[in-house]
């Protein structure tokens, strides 16, 4: 699957294109809606690059591979893409998949710009080959923990599935909240029926339940069970990983899916570039674009700038990460080394805590921003 090289006829006589590989979850058990938004952003940016003349007159081409939330499949795709001669690999949404892709890209000497995965340890050892646009999990989830404390929540339950990503999130929350007087109780979604989960929340006297679980299963039935339990009428349900961001959440849960705060990586107000991109993405997706679509667009914007400035040699691309200074849809993008992060990191994309408005579930309210304190809900999007 490839994006057509050009919409404007930018092409050399020899027909050669500059190829970028893209890893995107397009089938289950991957989060297909997230993958669709990520791909829309990637493809829109490729079209814009080609409309502006491509890469020194050569069209930019996206070679897409479905990761399907499978680390082994992603690693194999990186091998294949390297053999196809791509200048770099981009994309991916799922953290455990991005980690496998990053490890393989590092081993092969293939530049990888990760769009949307947040797990701090994308690689076991520091690497020059990998850069990332999304905020690291430790950064975003600490902001979410601050939101919980500011909203008065000190008895917090975490309902989690087993995975490196969810375990990392639980550890970040515990390390940040416990020294501030909060308690964090872990509940294993594999071992508890929805009724037993509700009983445990009541026993713990939890004021907030955080869903660290896949979408739609088991997140959606868990929300329904908690919403139906009158004993838990006042509990806050939270989803820091962003499950409520996508339209499928509202379609499956309706009003039950509102007022569930999650992390979103957008500025409070969109600038001119982002407004234009938002309109084009909305038309392409036939719905409001998520922050993941903007991450996809920014990924290609960065790579196109690098390719124009440094050419298609893989080593030169990797050497360019610390010299990147690109205006993206969500601010100027620069990469640097950050303590505890093994890849080149944009420090930081804007971070918000938002939820779906109970009065109108297709709209979002900004509840908290990285630079501020908890605030009165403001409608957004």
């Amino acid at each position: 699957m490839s994006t057509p090289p050009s919409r404007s006829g930018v092409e050399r006589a020899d027909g050669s294109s500059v190829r970028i590989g893209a890893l995107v979850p397009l089938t289950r058990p991957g989060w297909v809606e997230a993958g669709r938004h990520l791909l829309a952003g990637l493809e829109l940016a490729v079209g814009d690059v080609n409309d502006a003349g491509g890469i020194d007159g050569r069209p930019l081409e996206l070679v897409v591979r479905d990761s399907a939330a499978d680390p082994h499949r992603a690693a194999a795709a990186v091998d294949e893409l390297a053999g196809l001669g791509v200048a770099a690999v981009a994309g991916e949404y799922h953290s455990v998949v991005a980690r496998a892709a990053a490890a393989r890209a590092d081993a092969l000497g293939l530049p990888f710009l990760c769009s949307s995965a947040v797990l701090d340890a994308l690689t076991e050892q520091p690497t020059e080959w990998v850069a990332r646009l999304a905020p690291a999990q430790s950064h975003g989830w600490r902001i979410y923990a601050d939101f919980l404390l500011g909203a008065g929540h000190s008895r917090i339950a975490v309902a989690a599935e087993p995975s490196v990503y969810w375990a990392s999130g639980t550890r970040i929350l515990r390390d940040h909240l416990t020294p501030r007087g909060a308690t964090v109780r872990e509940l294993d979604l594999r071992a508890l029926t929805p009724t037993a989960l509700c009983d445990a929340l009541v026993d713990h006297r939890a004021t907030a339940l955080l869903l660290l679980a896949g979408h739609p299963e088991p997140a959606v039935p868990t929300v329904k069970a908690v919403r139906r339990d009158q004993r838990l009428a006042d509990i806050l349900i939270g989803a820091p990983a962003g499950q409520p961001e996508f339209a499928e959440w509202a379609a499956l849960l309706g009003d039950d899916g509102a007022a569930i705060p999650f992390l979103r990586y957008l500025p409070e107000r969109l600038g001119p570039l982002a407004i234009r991109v938002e309109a084009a993405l909305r038309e392409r997706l036939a719905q409001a674009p998520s922050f993941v679509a903007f991450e996809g667009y920014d990924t290609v914007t960065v790579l196109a700038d690098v390719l124009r400035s440094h050419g298609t040699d893989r080593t030169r691309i990797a050497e360019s990460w610390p010299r990147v200074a690109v205006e993206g849809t969500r601010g100027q993008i620069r990469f640097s080394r950050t303590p505890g992060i093994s890849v080149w990191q944009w420090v930081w994309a804007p971070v918000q805590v938002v939820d779906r408005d109970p009065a109108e579930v297709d709209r979002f309210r900004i509840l908290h921003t990285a630079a501020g304190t908890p605030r009165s809900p403001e409608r957004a999007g």
Side-chain angles (χ1 to χ4, degrees):
M1 178 178 180
S2 299
T3 296
S6 176
R7 298 186 307 212
S8 58
V10 176
E11 196 164 357
R12 279 186 168 183
D14 63 4
S16 64
S17 60
V18 178
R19 308 180 92 189
I20 295 173
L23 300 176
V24 186
L26 296 175
T27 55
R28 299 287 186 190
W31 196 341
V32 175
E33 192 172 12
R36 190 167 69 90
H37 281 237
L38 178 58
L39 183 59
L42 293 166
E43 290 181 334
L44 177 65
V46 167
D48 286 352
V49 168
N50 288 334
D51 285 349
I55 308 299
D56 296 330
R58 299 171 63 188
L60 189 62
E61 180 182 358
L62 201 64
V63 184
V64 181
R65 293 296 180 266
D66 176 17
S67 64
D70 184 335
H72 300 291
R73 182 167 174 170
V78 173
D79 281 339
E80 179 195 0
L81 292 166
L84 291 173
V86 300
V89 173
E92 195 46 50
Y93 178 81
H94 297 285
S95 281
V96 292
V97 178
R99 188 172 64 160
R104 195 68 196 129
D106 180 51
L108 294 171
L110 178 63
F112 173 36
L113 179 51
C114 182
S115 303
S116 197
V118 301
L119 191 68
D120 283 36
L122 273 185
T123 55
E124 293 297 327
Q125 301 295 329
T127 175
E128 302 296 322
W129 294 99
V130 182
R132 173 169 54 194
L133 289 176
Q137 188 180 21
S138 58
H139 178 71
W141 287 44
R142 285 174 190 148
I143 291 168
Y144 193 92
D146 288 337
F147 158 73
L148 292 173
L149 291 171
H153 296 286
S154 61
R155 298 187 65 85
I156 296 156
V158 172
E161 292 184 290
S163 85
V164 172
Y165 176 62
W166 300 127
S168 172
T170 301
R171 183 174 61 254
I172 292 164
L173 293 167
R174 185 184 301 282
D175 290 349
H176 195 70
L177 290 167
T178 302
R180 291 159 178 80
T183 61
V184 178
R185 181 176 179 184
E186 296 181 50
L187 301 172
D188 186 348
L189 279 176
R190 296 174 307 170
L192 295 172
T193 65
T195 300
L197 173 68
C198 291
D199 290 342
L201 294 173
V202 173
D203 292 342
H204 182 56
R205 293 184 289 117
T207 65
L209 165 66
L210 306 186
L211 286 174
L212 308 193
H215 170 77
E217 298 287 341
V220 167
T222 301
V223 170
K224 289 180 177 179
V226 173
R227 293 294 200 213
R228 284 196 302 265
D229 194 316
Q230 292 302 310
R231 300 172 299 170
L232 301 171
D234 295 327
I235 199 169
L236 172 78
I237 303 176
Q243 297 94 322
E245 167 78 5
F246 297 95
E248 185 184 19
W249 178 270
L252 292 173
L253 282 166
D255 291 345
D256 284 345
I260 297 179
F262 64 93
L263 287 165
R264 182 170 72 165
Y265 307 127
L266 289 175
E268 290 190 66
R269 291 176 178 80
L270 299 181
L273 172 62
I275 290 172
R276 179 183 68 77
V277 169
E278 193 274 343
L281 287 169
R282 186 182 291 270
E283 181 177 358
R284 182 177 286 257
L285 291 163
Q287 61 184 216
S290 70
F291 69 84
V292 179
F294 288 94
E295 289 175 326
Y297 188 93
D298 286 343
T299 301
V300 170
T301 300
V302 168
L303 286 175
D305 182 80
V306 168
L307 291 165
R308 292 188 189 106
S309 301
H310 302 282
T312 59
D313 179 79
R314 291 171 179 175
T315 299
R316 292 187 65 193
I317 291 170
E319 290 173 348
S320 75
W321 297 136
R323 295 191 290 276
V324 165
V326 176
E327 196 63 33
T329 60
R330 298 164 299 142
Q332 188 175 67
I333 298 168
R334 294 177 179 268
F335 298 114
S336 62
R337 288 300 191 186
T338 304
I341 309 297
S342 59
V343 302
W344 288 100
Q345 175 70 52
W346 178 20
V347 184
W348 296 100
V351 179
Q352 305 170 346
V353 179
V354 305
D355 70 1
R356 288 184 174 271
D357 189 342
E360 190 177 348
V361 295
D362 289 334
R363 294 183 64 88
F364 298 100
R365 305 180 299 178
I366 300 173
L367 308 176
H368 182 76
T369 58
T373 54
R375 49 195 283 179
S376 298
E378 171 186 320
R379 288 192 173 194

